[in-house]
């Protein structure tokens, strides 16, 4: 590998890459500085004027569930240098970085992980054919001949490959199809979470950055959605540079690569990953420097905005009126002829899978709460409630239980419209809808938790508790229906704008863009940081199509399509005291309502060293879902089928009937109890095998608050060696035959 890099990435070429990267970054950062002032003004204006949006009925969790391990277990990772597969203990903490340890003992003893992988921008592939097709497309002319050795051999039929267009690839395999399905769901959740890397509560830096990306790409005649707008700002900026730099390097270096097709493919992946890391480091330093400069200037800018808010608004409205008078006739004709006829079909294509997904969220929530209620009736009653609620509180973060909701978005297609409106991929809409599903599920669960916790303060009997659970469930479902409608309508409007606005701007550019420069003189110099002609022009274009989009969504609601509520249906203060309940201390179900047999903690136990206590807490950290796999197993060549899950009532009608019957008269425990949460584990260790025939058991005591799971690197390339003293330096690493990572 070293020879490949030294040959094709010598000092002269690295200098050229650095200069090219610097030029792109300089151009982009000018857009970012311009957009920062506009975003700051818009944010402060929004705070003053507000929007009057409908008030959400469900509560939202202010303190996230940050003491959870989403998933853990063993998988086999391919080491490219030694060309060997190695067993790794792997876990996904609450921050969704895939952490790889030498083995489970190393994790329990707090040995630093071998690698942390940030999956932003990656695709999850489940077959070598998919992978070879993408690799072949990334380097034209290297398609392997039939019968030739592939670039990678997998010892089982169940691979999982993390593929990125620029960064290194990761190769894993599992022993069974069931394991592959679980890890695929978990890793897809990691990708979904890491792709959404710009915080939504960032009201200035976030909008300024995304608008700057759009403006920069439009200056290069690149309109439409962009699939690589994923990750945090530095990751996205690295993708932006590679979008321009990658093809240039490929054209220059591809003819010089030697060897068979699969060997040339390996060489290109190594070269691309190394260049990506170089770009990332340069982008990180430049972006952080500019951001720091803008944040230092922000107080002075805010002072100007507060003092001159009215004058800035008046000046902007005057500019908008002049631009509107100039381009409105052309824009209206373009909307009428090229956009308006297609809005209903785009909306319908979006509504069907999205509404099915939100309906599935409702059904999953209903079934989980109903299962819990049946368990309360037939099993431990209030004594077991803490265990059941502990699992229910994690429902939105359970990749397998949420998978049926997320899958509803997969059929989303814009057949015939995708090419017309230059939509490179529908993945941006799928992932956005899936994130909203998870948020709404967690809001419903948290609202249910809060109301049930209030009810428990009255000291109900088991029968009263079961009736209260059913009553609270119906109350939360009504709130969910209202919020779900509001969230979906907003999503539809945003998606329609995201599809149609770039198309309109591209259509109008030849006739309208050249006229914009003459409007610059209408902006006072003191306000030039907060009003830009280009942004105002885009707002005018948006207004021309917005009324058609609003009308289409409104008509869908009036027709009660997909259970959408009319805009006139507003729930005002239906539960005025509910939001006050959410202001209290977060509920710890395991501590408050755990059974006496599991009570007690490790802290303060005499004679036990503190390090041993922390190690035990790491070992027993609360986990959302486990994987079935033997840690010491070798690579299998035969799949081992999982035991069948016990039968349970699948129909919502059946569940209602069961619940109603059990509330009328106390019945003996069911022979095959319904499960709630993850299946019971043979041991409290992460990665232990589930026991389908038994009820969920109370997790051992001990908080996970002392744990410090490694955070996913903000470097999209993924793998890093953890060193002492905090965050490791970013280096390209490999692994020798002894399994020790070394630098190139």
């Amino acid at each position: 590998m070293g020879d490949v890099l030294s040959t094709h990435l010598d000092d002269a070429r690295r200098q050229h890459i650095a200069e090219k990267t610097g030029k792109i970054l300089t151009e982009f950062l000018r857009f970012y500085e311009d957009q920062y002032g506009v975003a700051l003004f818009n944010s402060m204006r929004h705070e003053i004027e507000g929007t009057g949006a409908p008030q959400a009925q469900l509560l939202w969790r202010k303190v996230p569930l940050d003491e959870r391990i989403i998933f853990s277990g063993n998988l086999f990772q391919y080491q490219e240098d030694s060309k060997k597969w190695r067993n790794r203990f792997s876990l996904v903490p609450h921050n969704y970085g895939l952490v790889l340890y030498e083995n489970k003992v190393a994790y329990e003893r707090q040995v630093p992980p071998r690698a942390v992988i940030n999956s932003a921008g990656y695709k999850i592939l489940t077959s070598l054919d998919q992978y070879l097709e993408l690799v072949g497309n990334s380097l034209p002319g290297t398609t392997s001949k039939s019968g030739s050795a592939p670039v990678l051999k997998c010892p089982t039929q169940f691979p999982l490959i993390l593929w990125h267009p620029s960064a290194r690839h990761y190769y894993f395999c599992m022993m069974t199809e069931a394991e592959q399905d679980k890890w695929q769901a978990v890793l897809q959740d990691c990708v979904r979470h890491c792709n959404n890397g710009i915080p939504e509560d960032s009201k200035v830096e976030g909008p300024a950055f995304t608008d700057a990306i759009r403006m920069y790409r439009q200056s290069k005649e690149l309109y439409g959605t962009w699939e690589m707008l994923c990750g945090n700002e530095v990751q996205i900026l690295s993708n932006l540079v590679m979008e321009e730099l990658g093809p240039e390097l490929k054209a220059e270096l591809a003819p010089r690569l030697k060897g068979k097709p699969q060997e040339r493919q390996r060489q290109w992946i190594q070269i691309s990953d190394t260049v990506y890391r170089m770009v990332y480091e340069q982008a990180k330093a430049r972006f952080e420097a500019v951001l720091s400069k803008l944040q230092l200037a922000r107080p002075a800018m805010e002072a100007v905005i507060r003092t001159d808010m009215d004058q800035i608004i008046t000046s902007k409205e005057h500019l908008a009126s002049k631009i509107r008078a100039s381009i409105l006739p052309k824009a209206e004709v373009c909307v009428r002829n090229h956009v308006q006829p297609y809005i209903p079909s785009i909306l319908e294509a979006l509504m069907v899978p999205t509404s099915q997904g939100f309906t599935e969220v409702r059904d999953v929530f209903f079934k989980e709460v109903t299962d819990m209620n049946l368990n309360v009736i037939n099993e431990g009653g209030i004594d077991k409630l803490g265990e059941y609620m502990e699992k229910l509180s994690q429902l939105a973060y359970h990749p397998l239980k949420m998978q049926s909701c997320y899958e509803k978005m997969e059929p989303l297609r814009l057949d015939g419209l995708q090419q017309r409106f230059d939509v490179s991929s529908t993945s941006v809409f799928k992932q956005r809808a899936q994130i909203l599903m998870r948020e709404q599920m967690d809001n419903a669960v948290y609202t249910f938790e809060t109301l049930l916790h209030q009810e428990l303060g009255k000291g109900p009997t088991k029968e009263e508790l079961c009736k209260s659970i059913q009553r609270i469930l119906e109350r939360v479902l009504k709130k969910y229906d209202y919020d779900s409608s509001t969230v979906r309508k907003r999503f539809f409007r945003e998606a329609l704008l995201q599809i149609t606005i770039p198309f309109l701007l591209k259509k109008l550019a030849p006739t309208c863009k050249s006229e914009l420069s003459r409007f610059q003189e209408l902006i006072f110099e003191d306000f030039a940081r907060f009003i830009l002609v280009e942004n105002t022009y885009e707002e005018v274009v948006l207004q021309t199509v917005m009324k058609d989009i609003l009308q289409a969504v409104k008509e869908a609601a009036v027709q009660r399509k997909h259970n959408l509520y009319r805009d006139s249906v507003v729930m005002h203060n239906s539960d005025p005291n509910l939001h006050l309940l959410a202001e209290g201390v977060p509920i710890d179900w395991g501590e408050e309502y755990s059974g006496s047999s599991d009570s007690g903690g490790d802290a303060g136990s005499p004679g036990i060293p503190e390090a041993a206590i922390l190690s035990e807490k790491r070992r027993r950290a609360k986990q959302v879902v486990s994987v079935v796999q033997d840690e010491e197993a070798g690579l299998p060549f035969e799949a081992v089928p999982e035991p069948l899950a016990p039968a349970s009532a699948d129909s919502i009608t059946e569940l209602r009937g069961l619940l109603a019957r059990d509330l009328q008269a106390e019945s003996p425990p069911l022979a095959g109890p319904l499960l709630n949460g993850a299946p019971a584990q043979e041991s409290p260790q992460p990665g232990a095998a589930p026991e389908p025939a038994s009820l969920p058991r109370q997790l051992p005591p001990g908080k996970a608050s002392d744990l410090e799971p490694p955070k996913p690197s903000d470097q999209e390339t993924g793998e890093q060696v953890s060193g002492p003293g905090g965050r490791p330096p970013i280096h390209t690493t490999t692994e020798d035959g002894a399994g020790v990572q070394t630098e190139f």
Side-chain angles (χ1 to χ4, degrees):
M1 184 185 293
D3 292 340
V4 172
L5 298 178
S6 61
T7 300
H8 297 291
L9 292 177
D10 54 19
D11 291 343
R13 196 175 305 281
R14 288 174 182 263
Q15 180 63 29
H16 171 73
I17 291 170
E19 290 174 357
K20 179 74 174 179
T21 301
K23 182 181 177 182
I24 296 171
L25 292 174
T26 298
E27 190 175 351
F28 166 78
L29 291 170
R30 280 200 296 266
F31 282 96
Y32 182 62
E33 291 187 57
D34 289 343
Q35 294 300 321
Y36 191 89
V38 176
L40 181 60
F41 167 72
N42 290 339
S43 174
M44 295 180 67
R45 182 178 182 181
H46 173 78
E47 288 178 7
I48 294 172
E49 296 179 351
T51 59
Q55 181 182 359
Q57 296 299 304
L58 295 171
L59 303 176
W60 57 276
R61 199 183 300 271
K62 296 180 181 178
V63 180
L65 295 177
D66 58 357
E67 297 179 1
R68 299 291 185 274
I69 294 170
I70 303 297
F71 199 64
S72 74
N74 283 74
L75 45 72
F76 292 92
Q77 183 187 15
Y78 180 70
Q79 305 299 321
E80 298 169 70
D81 225 39
S82 63
K83 295 182 172 58
K84 293 180 180 179
W85 291 84
R86 295 191 179 276
N87 196 355
R88 296 283 183 245
F89 177 70
S90 313
L91 62 86
V92 178
H94 66 275
N95 47 32
Y96 291 91
L98 178 60
V99 187
L100 303 176
Y101 289 88
E102 184 71 33
N103 50 45
K104 192 171 181 180
V105 174
Y107 163 69
E108 292 172 353
R109 292 180 178 175
Q110 305 175 57
V111 176
R114 299 191 65 85
V116 180
I117 300 175
N118 185 305
S119 55
Y122 279 85
K123 287 185 178 178
I124 311 297
L125 309 177
T126 56
S127 76
L128 287 179
D129 290 342
Q130 291 175 307
Y131 177 68
L132 295 176
E133 181 181 357
L134 285 172
V135 170
N137 292 339
S138 67
L139 193 63
T142 60
T143 304
S144 301
K145 294 181 181 178
S146 176
S148 62
V151 69
L152 176 71
K153 290 183 180 179
C154 185
T156 75
Q157 301 176 19
F158 312 108
L160 271 184
I161 301 172
L162 286 162
W163 178 89
H164 191 282
S166 302
R168 73 172 291 185
H169 305 159
Y170 295 91
Y171 313 98
F172 304 102
C173 74
M174 290 77 201
M175 295 187 292
T176 67
E177 186 177 1
E179 286 298 305
Q180 185 190 44
D181 291 342
K182 287 182 179 180
W183 275 109
Q184 182 186 5
V186 172
L187 292 179
Q188 197 61 60
D189 225 20
C190 292
V191 171
R192 190 180 298 116
H193 180 88
C194 293
N195 279 352
N196 194 37
I198 299 179
E200 294 191 18
D201 57 0
S202 173
K203 303 302 183 185
V204 178
E205 287 82 1
F209 184 84
T210 53
D211 285 347
I213 289 284
R214 180 171 49 79
M215 292 291 189
Y216 175 85
R217 297 187 78 248
Q218 286 175 186
S219 73
K220 306 294 182 183
E221 303 297 325
L222 296 171
Y223 293 82
T225 58
W226 185 38
E227 197 171 4
M228 292 308 294
L229 187 69
C230 47
N232 61 31
E233 291 89 343
V234 180
Q235 291 170 319
I236 295 169
L237 195 46
S238 303
N239 296 337
L240 187 72
V241 174
M242 291 300 293
E243 182 182 36
E244 193 169 334
L245 184 62
E248 178 186 312
L249 281 174
K250 191 182 300 182
E252 189 175 350
L253 297 180
R256 304 182 185 185
L257 301 178
K258 306 297 183 183
K260 295 179 179 179
Q262 59 269 26
E263 183 58 32
R264 302 207 307 274
Q265 289 170 352
R266 287 194 192 99
Q267 292 173 15
W268 173 248
I269 293 169
Q270 294 163 12
I271 292 169
S272 178
D273 175 58
T274 303
V275 172
Y276 188 88
R277 291 169 184 264
M278 292 168 55
V279 168
Y280 179 92
E281 285 297 297
Q282 194 171 343
K284 186 172 187 290
R286 290 287 303 276
F287 178 74
E288 288 179 351
V290 170
L291 181 59
S292 177
K293 183 181 76 172
L294 289 170
Q295 289 175 338
L296 287 173
R298 180 169 174 169
M301 295 167 67
E302 290 178 341
V304 173
I305 293 171
R306 287 194 189 94
T307 303
D308 299 327
M309 175 69 80
D310 292 340
Q311 292 91 325
I312 297 173
I313 292 173
T314 302
S315 178
K316 182 177 179 180
E317 290 176 349
H318 176 66
L319 173 65
S321 67
K322 294 295 184 181
I323 294 176
R324 190 178 297 110
S326 174
I327 67 103
L328 190 60
K330 301 173 188 176
E332 287 181 336
V333 169
C334 190
V335 169
R336 187 165 58 249
N337 294 337
H338 301 290
V339 175
Q340 197 178 62
Y342 301 97
I343 288 177
S345 53
I346 298 174
L347 179 58
E348 186 65 23
L350 290 166
M351 281 199 301
V352 173
T354 305
S355 297
Q356 288 175 350
F358 276 85
T359 299
E360 183 70 11
V361 169
R362 189 186 199 277
D363 292 346
V364 170
F365 173 67
F366 173 85
K367 184 179 185 302
E368 290 296 314
V369 174
T370 305
D371 283 357
M372 182 194 73
N373 209 357
L374 287 170
N375 283 337
V376 169
I377 294 171
N378 296 300
E379 297 298 325
I382 297 179
D383 293 337
K384 283 281 189 178
L385 187 63
E387 177 185 342
Y388 300 149
M389 287 303 299
E390 189 76 32
K391 290 172 181 173
L392 184 67
S393 68
Q394 305 167 17
L395 180 57
Y397 306 93
H398 195 302
L400 305 181
K401 289 181 184 252
M402 291 296 294
Q403 185 66 10
S404 63
C405 309
Y406 299 149
E407 285 175 348
K408 299 296 184 183
M409 286 302 299
E410 293 307 317
L412 175 61
R413 300 287 184 274
L414 297 175
D415 296 329
L417 299 170
Q418 195 163 324
Q419 186 175 0
R420 176 182 182 83
F421 288 97
D422 196 20
V423 178
S424 61
S425 171
T426 57
S427 62
V428 62
F429 306 113
K430 292 177 184 178
Q431 291 195 12
R432 180 58 185 160
Q434 290 164 344
I435 288 169
L436 293 173
M437 289 176 198
R438 183 172 64 190
E439 289 176 357
Q440 288 300 297
M441 174 67 89
D442 196 43
N443 291 350
V445 168
Y446 182 57
T447 306
F448 179 85
E449 287 184 69
T450 304
L451 291 171
L452 180 60
H453 190 259
Q454 181 191 39
E455 191 69 22
L456 289 171
K458 302 174 183 177
T461 63
K462 184 166 75 171
E463 291 74 17
E464 291 171 341
L465 175 61
C466 291
K467 292 177 182 178
S468 296
I469 288 174
Q470 180 65 16
R471 186 173 63 252
I472 292 170
L473 172 61
E474 292 174 358
R475 187 173 164 191
V476 171
L477 287 176
K478 289 180 181 178
K479 296 177 181 296
Y480 173 84
D481 290 340
Y482 180 80
D483 280 8
S484 165
S485 174
T486 303
V487 167
R488 281 181 290 140
K489 286 191 292 185
R490 184 172 65 245
F491 168 72
F492 297 146
R493 290 193 293 265
E494 291 173 355
L496 284 167
L497 286 172
Q498 200 169 347
I499 292 169
T500 58
I501 291 298
F503 173 80
L504 281 172
L505 294 173
K506 186 176 181 179
K507 278 280 186 185
L508 293 171
T511 57
C512 296
K513 245 190 163 177
S514 58
E515 300 180 16
L516 297 182
S517 58
R518 63 188 177 89
F519 296 108
Q520 187 64 44
E521 62 186 26
L522 298 177
I523 303 174
F524 292 117
E525 186 177 351
D526 293 344
F527 304 154
R529 296 200 68 176
F530 316 119
I531 305 173
L532 297 179
V533 172
E534 187 78 16
N535 289 65
T536 309
Y537 161 70
E538 290 195 1
E539 289 176 14
V540 171
V541 173
L542 182 148
Q543 291 164 7
T544 61
V545 72
M546 191 63 183
K547 60 179 180 293
D548 293 309
I549 290 174
L550 292 174
Q551 183 62 29
V553 175
K554 182 179 179 181
E555 287 176 0
V558 168
Q559 296 168 20
R560 293 288 294 167
K561 283 187 176 181
H562 308 292
N563 201 31
L564 291 175
Y565 286 8
R566 298 186 184 189
D567 293 342
S568 58
V569 177
V570 180
M571 296 175 68
H572 288 301
N573 297 322
S574 59
D575 239 333
N577 297 322
L578 181 59
H579 288 270
L580 297 177
L581 295 176
E583 300 298 327
V585 178
I587 304 166
D588 189 333
W589 293 100
E591 288 292 321
E592 278 193 60
Y593 296 96
S594 60
S596 58
S597 61
D598 292 316
S599 61
D602 297 308
S605 301
I608 301 178
E610 185 177 347
I613 295 173
L614 182 58
S615 176
E616 182 69 3
K617 288 183 177 181
R618 287 174 63 85
R619 186 179 68 82
R620 302 185 309 189
K622 298 170 184 175
Q623 182 162 312
V624 177
V625 59
S626 284
V627 66
V628 185
Q629 194 169 44
D630 181 6
E631 182 181 349
E632 302 301 328
L635 269 176
F637 290 90
E638 267 186 58
V640 181
E642 277 198 324
L644 294 174
S648 62
D650 294 325
S651 164
I652 290 178
T653 305
E654 289 180 56
L655 292 171
R656 288 186 186 275
L658 284 171
L659 183 60
R661 186 172 67 247
D662 286 324
L663 283 174
Q664 290 172 2
E666 180 92 10
S667 60
L670 295 174
L674 292 168
L675 300 182
N676 175 61
Q681 300 177 354
E682 293 177 0
S683 71
Q685 298 180 1
E691 186 179 319
S694 61
L695 276 170
R697 230 176 13 231
Q698 178 76 26
L699 287 169
K703 294 182 181 177
S705 57
D706 297 326
L707 300 182
E708 291 294 337
K711 295 184 178 180
S713 162
D714 60 358
Q715 179 173 338
E716 186 169 354
T717 59
E719 191 162 342
Q720 296 185 3
V721 183
S722 292
R727 188 170 183 162
I730 297 172
H731 294 296
T732 305
T733 60
T734 184
E735 195 165 28
D736 59 24
V740 179
Q741 288 191 338
T742 56
E743 294 183 22
F744 288 125

